[in-house]
Amino acid sequence: MRAAQYYGKEDLRIEHDVPERECGSGMIKPPATPLTDNPLKIAPAFCGICGMDLHEWSGGPTFAPSPSTPHPVTNEHIPITIGHEFSGTIVELGPDLQDASWEVGENVCVCPSIYCGECVSCRIGAENACDRGGFVGLSGWGGGLSERVVVRERMCVRLPGGVGLEVGALVEPLAVGWHAVDVSAFGEGDRVLVLGGGSSFLRRPPLWRDLSASSRGEISVDAAADLRWGPGPIGLSVVQALVARKASLIITAEVSPNRQSFAKRFGAHHVLDPTKEADLPGRCRELCGGLLPDVVFDCAGVPASIRAACACIRARGQVLNVAIWEKPVPFNPNDLVFKEATFKGVLGYLKKDFEYVVGALKEGRLEPAGMVTKKIGLGELVEEGFRSLVEEKDGQVKILVELDGE
């Protein structure tokens, strides 16, 4: 079958002879772990290019497992098929699903989380923080940038009528924003500040590898900074989740003019440029009627954003860190202590976040189609996809690959 195979830094190949995995009897490429947990075979329809994919292409392998360190759950390593933001149609059921509720021809989106089910995090229901975690499309078990992919039943979320496959491919990034709001102290009617219109680098380096890309010198500081302020839609996803969950006031602070306009389009009441605000806390206080935001979401992940978050939060409010940091930064806990405020980190999502997002899409509380700024075919992946995100980063938000396209 045809699939996008990732070999390493700036080495992404569209190959036509990638073995198609079997549905039920295990993986075709030993010694990979067999898929014995009720597998389904899906024909991907659309797959988004994530900032993490871009990070791997421009400076990896970092998250993708190297030949010397296969992934501990999949037991696979590069070359691997990439793509983890995808939707598709069921084309085959595993033998244990023949009498189940799934049917060939149904449309689904995929929660691509891979986790061990055995570590402390998994045992307490925090599989998004699994010590050996990974993703379909990044850690093995195939990926969405292919003609066929076999996934576990537990990864699939049915797309109801009215929610098309194109929007279905946006559920994964939307789930990141939904999860951030869900685990926060946010309540209906709260006033919120979102820093950064989008963080394109949203998962931590895996605990199963001793990684520090910046310390190894494999990614320059400038490149990392470019990625961090790249075209990821996570901040926009947070804004949309806040709108769906009835925030009374949403303020965004974003330096990119393009993402400023998108934030306004998706429901932000006020959009500020932090480089032009001499007193950002004072401006927030003015917009909040003499108060300060109840919750601040930091989706930018730069030293200035964490300082701004702590300065703008009200007493006993909460700062949510959605971004991933390339390196340690100066941080004074007194900025929170003197307000009795809290700081919380959030990571990725759980399957229930996919289910909530799909429900909100069905009800019309989320309308994310405008996030798609470009659609391309698989054969255009490098030039019109990855290079476009690097060279036109202020003009692109989400590029979707249409697997039926050329």
Side-chain angles (χ1 to χ4, degrees), residues 56-380:
E56 290 296 307
W57 177 76
S58 64
T62 302
F63 287 81
S66 66
S68 62
T69 315
H71 191 274
V73 176
T74 69
N75 204 27
E76 294 189 41
H77 58 75
I78 58 173
I80 56 172
T81 302
I82 64 167
H84 60 275
E85 298 182 357
F86 64 99
S87 62
T89 302
I90 298 173
V91 294
E92 183 181 344
L93 301 175
D96 295 332
L97 292 174
Q98 297 302 324
D99 298 323
S101 61
W102 298 100
E103 295 182 1
V104 170
E106 286 190 288
N107 293 337
V108 297
C109 61
V110 175
C111 175
S113 300
I114 294 172
Y115 50 89
C116 71
E118 300 171 351
C119 68
V120 172
S121 297
C122 287
R123 291 203 301 268
I124 66 170
E127 57 266 21
N128 56 321
C130 174
D131 292 349
R132 297 185 285 276
F135 297 90
V136 171
L138 191 67
S139 311
W141 288 353
L145 288 169
S146 64
E147 294 178 326
R148 296 289 187 273
V149 59
V150 176
V151 298
R152 300 186 177 200
E153 178 192 21
R154 63 166 173 79
M155 296 177 172
C156 295
V157 177
R158 186 178 282 105
L159 294 176
V163 180
L165 287 164
E166 183 174 327
V167 169
L170 300 175
V171 172
E172 196 270 359
L174 288 169
V176 177
W178 193 277
H179 180 75
V181 175
D182 194 57
V183 302
S184 75
F186 169 81
E188 184 177 327
D190 278 354
R191 299 168 294 270
V192 182
L193 170 65
V194 180
L195 297 168
S199 170
S200 8
F201 184 36
L202 38 121
R203 283 97 178 180
R204 56 166 186 181
L207 294 179
W208 52 270
R209 291 177 69 182
D210 182 15
L211 283 195
S212 176
S214 57
S215 66
R216 290 200 312 263
E218 295 182 4
I219 304 174
S220 71
V221 173
D222 288 343
D226 286 343
L227 283 168
R228 186 172 318 281
W229 288 98
I234 303 309
L236 298 176
S237 297
V238 170
V239 169
Q240 292 178 78
L242 290 168
V243 171
R245 298 173 77 147
K246 300 181 180 179
S248 65
L249 181 70
I250 303 171
I251 306 168
T252 64
E254 169 58 54
V255 299
S256 164
N258 186 58
R259 287 195 294 273
Q260 287 175 4
S261 63
F262 272 94
K264 191 73 173 178
R265 175 178 177 179
F266 285 115
H269 301 101
H270 301 279
V271 181
L272 309 178
D273 183 345
T275 65
K276 298 179 180 178
E277 295 289 342
D279 181 9
L280 186 60
R283 182 73 171 120
C284 288
R285 191 183 300 275
E286 176 186 340
L287 295 172
C288 291
L291 304 173
L292 283 170
D294 302 291
V295 184
V296 178
F297 293 87
D298 182 2
C299 302
V302 294
S305 66
I306 192 171
R307 291 194 297 269
C310 294
C312 292
I313 194 65
R314 67 162 172 82
R316 296 186 177 176
Q318 185 182 63
V319 174
L320 268 290
N321 182 81
V322 188
I324 291 292
W325 300 75
E326 290 283 349
K327 57 184 179 179
V329 293
F331 172 69
N332 187 350
N334 285 340
D335 293 342
L336 296 174
V337 170
F338 292 149
K339 293 182 176 183
E340 216 172 64
T342 60
F343 183 93
K344 183 172 185 175
V346 296
L347 180 68
Y349 40 65
L350 300 170
K351 184 182 176 181
K352 68 176 183 178
D353 299 304
F354 280 67
E355 295 168 342
Y356 290 145
V357 166
V358 169
L361 289 169
K362 180 181 179 181
E363 295 166 3
R365 293 189 291 133
L366 286 173
E367 298 180 352
M371 293 172 66
V372 179
T373 49
K374 193 176 191 181
K375 287 186 286 187
I376 62 174
L378 186 60
E380 304 171 294

